[in-house]
Amino acid sequence: MATQEKIAEVQAITERMEGAQSLILANYSGLSVEQMTKFRVECRAKAIDCRVVKNRLAKIACDNADVAEIKDYFKGPTAILFGLESQIDAAKVLVDFAADNEAMQIKGGFVDGQLLDPNQVVALSKVPSKEELYAKMMGSINSPITGVAMATNAVVAGLARVIDAVAKQKAEEAA
């Protein structure tokens, strides 16, 4: 690569790092081209940018993006997953893929100014998504209202049964 190309690549990596909500790193050596392609497709489906770049250029970009803590993970073949829309989606995709493909190894990550080791990346992947948390919250909010509605409905239904029973009894007495 010419010097201008390297400068442009470092700038592009820096911009991705600054724009990402999370950075997750993985060792992909041992994966076939087909497996890596499948992994990239899964990443794209979740708005995750998966890039393989030269470690030297990535380290320079880390310094430029103020994430120098993660530089030590750039040894050997390294794929960078940039979580563009979510802090946890990149970790979820990587952990799920690594469970089915032993060749994919989690190196670490960087979220909210915190360096993550592989175990912390796995723990991050188990956090429910924003949509799941919203659904649980709405269920919690909706639950008391549903209980009141059902209780009110039960009282009205009971009253209707009593009135019906009294009406049948009066009809039998009149007959």
Side-chain angles (χ1 to χ4, degrees):
M1 241 190 258
T3 305
Q4 280 302 89
E5 291 174 343
K6 290 177 184 177
I7 291 170
E9 182 68 16
V10 168
Q11 182 62 31
I13 298 166
T14 301
E15 288 173 6
R16 282 190 186 104
M17 286 180 172
E18 290 172 341
Q21 294 189 27
S22 65
L23 299 171
I24 307 296
L25 306 178
N27 180 341
Y28 62 89
S29 63
L31 288 179
S32 67
V33 172
E34 181 181 323
Q35 290 171 316
M36 194 62 180
T37 302
K38 180 182 175 194
F39 178 66
R40 287 177 186 236
V41 167
E42 289 178 23
C43 288
R44 268 187 242 117
K46 294 280 189 174
I48 300 164
D49 188 12
C50 177
R51 297 282 177 207
V52 175
V53 296
K54 292 187 178 208
N55 289 339
R56 190 169 38 83
L57 300 179
K59 288 178 182 181
I60 295 168
C62 287
D63 287 331
N64 294 345
D66 292 329
V67 293
E69 298 91 342
I70 202 167
K71 286 191 331 186
D72 292 338
Y73 289 127
F74 286 100
K75 293 178 183 152
T78 305
I80 309 171
L81 281 69
F82 300 93
L84 302 175
E85 296 178 0
S86 168
Q87 292 181 336
I88 60 173
D89 284 346
K92 281 183 185 278
V93 169
L94 178 59
V95 169
D96 290 345
F97 190 82
D100 296 334
N101 299 280
E102 292 180 16
M104 180 70 84
Q105 297 173 344
I106 303 164
K107 286 188 170 188
F110 193 81
V111 177
D112 277 343
Q114 297 294 316
L115 186 64
L116 305 177
D117 65 28
N119 293 329
Q120 290 171 318
V121 172
V122 172
L124 178 65
S125 74
K126 294 178 182 172
V127 173
S129 70
K130 197 183 306 183
E131 291 78 20
E132 291 174 76
L133 291 174
Y134 285 153
K136 288 179 181 181
M137 183 178 71
M138 292 309 294
S140 297
I141 290 171
N142 196 23
S143 181
I145 295 169
T146 303
V148 168
M150 291 180 71
T152 304
N153 189 33
V155 170
V156 172
L159 180 61
R161 283 192 294 275
V162 168
I163 291 172
D164 185 52
V166 169
K168 285 181 183 176
Q169 184 181 12
K170 295 287 183 179
E172 288 177 8
E173 289 176 2

